[in-house]
Amino acid sequence: MIETVDLENVRVMVKRFTEWLDRYGETSYDHQSFFASDWGRRAKSLYYGKPLLGTLAVAPMIFCETFVPSARRVFWRPQRFPIADAHYVMGFVFLSRVLGEQQYYDRAVHFLEVLKETRSPGYQHYCWGYPFNWETRRGTVRAGTPLITSVPYVYEAFREVYCIDGQQQWREIMWSIAQHAAHDYQDFETSATAATCSYSPEPDEPGGVINASAYRAFLLTRAAHDFGEEHYQVIANRNVNYVLESQNADGSWYYSTDGERDFVDHFHTCFVLKALAKIEEITGNRECGKAIERGIEYYVNNLFDEQGLPKAFARRPRMTVYRRELYDYAECINVGVLLAGRFPKLDSLLSRVVALTGWQKADGSFRARRLFWGWDNTPMHRWAQAQLFRSLCFLLYRSTYPESPGRTTQG
């Protein structure tokens, strides 16, 4: 239960973090900074296409990531990340509710105004993606390309502030985001009742990424109830059915059903679980509840180490340069708070994870990764300073108002 968590320690961590954020600013390097430049992307592309030769090409970046993570500044520049801004909105909203201080509401509105200005250009409706060119197995995803894994967080951010001040401008943007999510992504039928959605609106973008469909299912379920739009729910139901049908017999979900990316990792598992938890909370969908039960059983038994702390993969699919990942802690806390009281073993793990022993630096920021040799201390808003800040603030909110989750978006 949340009652077992040291909430005073959480408040102290959050306060120190907000003071750091004021000093540090709203742009940062990123997990992908090593590969964001043209030559970095070419090296990564070569790795995907010709692994032996590509290994030599990416070796300098991997060496720096492993031993000199601060070298990101040599490879790319600090940027603003919409997905991080959305998490900061929600974190400050939760703080404003818990502490009743106007300054936190004002900070949330500030980040909303930034999000209005940083929407992806060239699209009819409001949407957001990454600010860098992202090299993937399928090629380059150009900067600003909307991503269904980012857009739902921004919807939640606008909704959180709308729930406080009722300003119509926020609701209008929420409607625009919902229209984008409903109509700009492709659906690919996987059964008579299920469909997977594309990761982006690009015409050659396939489906198959499970957390992407989970995100869209949640966003459109939330929007269907916010706006009374039945066709949103129809689309959402097919996406959520795909997620349910993709669950493995042991309760896990692969990253993708494309037959290639069949790894099970920590934070992507959390993405799926929290989407199902939020859909269940909105609709009472019993099949989501059953999938959550099976998923949590796998999660607590396979994605934590002998110390009860998050581990990145159930089985490592490739060489990794780190022992622990801040993003895993952030998403573990989200899932633990959403499902508090339902799964005793998860409750027990939550109090251990929330302690964040060794993760907060003296300046108030959080370390990004525990490497095999030392730490990656580079503050990265998207990876995952903003996510952890939001999850800690969400914990404080749910601890203060345990009976009123329905007034706000969750997790």
Side-chain angles (χ1 to χ4, degrees):
M1 294 290 288
I2 293 177
E3 288 81 2
T4 65
V5 172
D6 184 350
L7 294 175
E8 183 56 35
N9 184 53
V10 174
R11 292 187 186 95
V12 170
M13 285 192 290
V14 167
K15 184 175 188 297
R16 291 178 60 206
F17 181 86
T18 59
E19 292 170 350
W20 166 82
L21 182 61
D22 288 340
R23 297 190 305 269
Y24 185 82
E26 298 167 9
T27 63
S28 72
Y29 293 100
D30 188 66
H31 167 59
Q32 291 289 342
S33 292
F34 287 112
F35 300 99
S37 67
D38 288 343
W39 63 275
R41 288 189 300 102
R42 291 190 190 103
K44 194 176 181 184
S45 177
L46 185 62
Y47 174 79
Y48 287 140
K50 299 180 179 179
L52 189 58
L53 188 59
T55 297
L56 296 175
V58 302
M61 288 78 108
I62 299 301
F63 176 87
C64 290
E65 189 174 14
T66 307
F67 297 104
V68 197
S70 61
R72 284 178 175 86
R73 62 176 61 91
V74 176
F75 294 85
W76 198 236
R77 62 183 181 274
Q79 293 182 291
R80 176 180 287 281
F81 298 91
I83 191 173
D85 290 338
H87 279 81
Y88 284 134
V89 170
M90 291 184 277
F92 282 116
V93 166
F94 294 138
L95 275 187
S96 73
R97 287 173 168 158
V98 170
L99 301 177
E101 295 186 22
Q102 178 73 22
Q103 61 170 316
Y104 296 123
Y105 164 79
D106 292 342
R107 289 296 299 277
V109 171
H110 159 72
F111 280 104
L112 276 196
E113 295 292 349
V114 169
L115 284 164
K116 285 171 59 178
E117 300 302 319
T118 56
R119 60 183 288 192
S120 296
Y123 291 85
Q124 177 183 0
H125 295 295
Y126 278 81
C127 50
W128 294 263
Y130 293 156
F132 53 83
N133 293 328
W134 177 30
E135 197 65 27
T136 72
R137 292 175 182 272
R138 291 186 50 81
T140 304
V141 178
R142 293 293 171 186
T145 301
L147 303 174
I148 197 57
T149 53
S150 293
V151 169
Y153 290 117
V154 188
Y155 182 92
E156 289 184 283
F158 278 95
R159 187 176 187 273
E160 290 291 358
V161 177
Y162 176 72
C163 285
I164 288 180
D165 63 21
Q167 287 195 32
Q168 190 62 26
Q169 61 167 322
W170 311 138
R171 185 172 172 82
E172 290 172 357
I173 293 174
M174 288 164 53
W175 180 85
S176 181
I177 296 169
Q179 288 289 97
H180 163 75
H183 302 299
D184 290 351
Y185 295 84
Q186 300 178 73
D187 278 298
F188 304 90
E189 184 175 295
T190 57
S191 75
T193 61
T196 175
C197 72
S198 59
Y199 202 95
S200 80
E202 293 297 291
D204 60 345
E205 180 71 24
V209 176
I210 295 171
N211 76 90
S213 292
Y215 273 119
R216 186 170 182 240
F218 159 66
L219 192 164
L220 291 177
T221 296
R222 179 72 273 170
H225 285 253
D226 288 341
F227 294 100
E229 295 282 357
E230 185 178 348
H231 72 285
Y232 290 168
Q233 193 65 66
V234 171
I235 299 170
N237 287 344
R238 292 183 63 79
N239 285 164
V240 78
N241 285 342
Y242 163 72
V243 174
L244 298 176
E245 293 175 9
S246 298
Q247 190 173 25
N248 297 318
D250 62 6
S252 67
W253 286 274
Y254 294 139
Y255 174 78
S256 174
T257 56
D258 60 7
E260 297 180 3
R261 294 168 290 179
D262 57 353
F263 59 86
V264 180
D265 74 329
H266 198 109
F267 65 82
H268 286 107
T269 297
C270 290
F271 292 162
V272 176
L273 285 168
K274 71 180 185 180
L276 294 179
K278 290 185 283 187
I279 292 168
E280 180 193 34
E281 193 165 79
I282 296 166
T283 67
N285 186 321
R286 296 179 66 182
E287 295 305 311
C288 286
K290 294 176 184 177
I292 291 166
E293 291 176 5
R294 294 171 55 216
I296 289 294
E297 180 70 17
Y298 179 90
Y299 175 64
V300 299
N301 289 325
N302 293 274
L303 286 165
F304 293 84
D305 64 17
E306 62 280 357
Q307 299 176 55
L309 297 173
K311 64 178 185 180
F313 295 95
R315 294 187 305 276
R316 291 185 182 271
R318 58 185 181 273
M319 183 185 74
T320 55
V321 301
Y322 57 91
R323 294 180 185 274
R324 303 192 191 281
E325 177 87 78
L326 185 67
Y327 220 140
D328 295 339
Y329 281 70
E331 293 305 329
C332 173
I333 295 168
N334 270 325
V335 170
V337 176
L338 273 170
L339 299 175
R342 290 176 60 175
F343 303 97
K345 190 170 182 179
L346 179 61
D347 291 340
S348 176
L349 290 166
L350 177 62
S351 60
R352 193 170 305 176
V353 173
V354 170
L356 289 163
T357 304
W359 283 91
Q360 191 166 35
K361 292 153 54 181
D363 65 3
S365 67
F366 292 96
R367 306 178 195 276
R369 281 176 168 172
R370 177 76 181 268
L371 305 173
F372 287 107
W373 300 274
W375 294 85
D376 183 344
N377 290 314
T378 308
M380 295 179 280
H381 288 311
R382 186 180 76 93
W383 207 273
Q385 303 288 327
Q387 286 85 348
L388 184 61
F389 170 66
R390 183 223 180 274
S391 70
L392 293 176
C393 295
F394 180 50
L395 168 60
L396 293 176
Y397 172 73
R398 275 291 181 94
S399 301
T400 306
Y401 300 105
E403 303 302 323
S404 59
R407 65 176 286 195
T408 180
T409 46
Q410 296 87 29

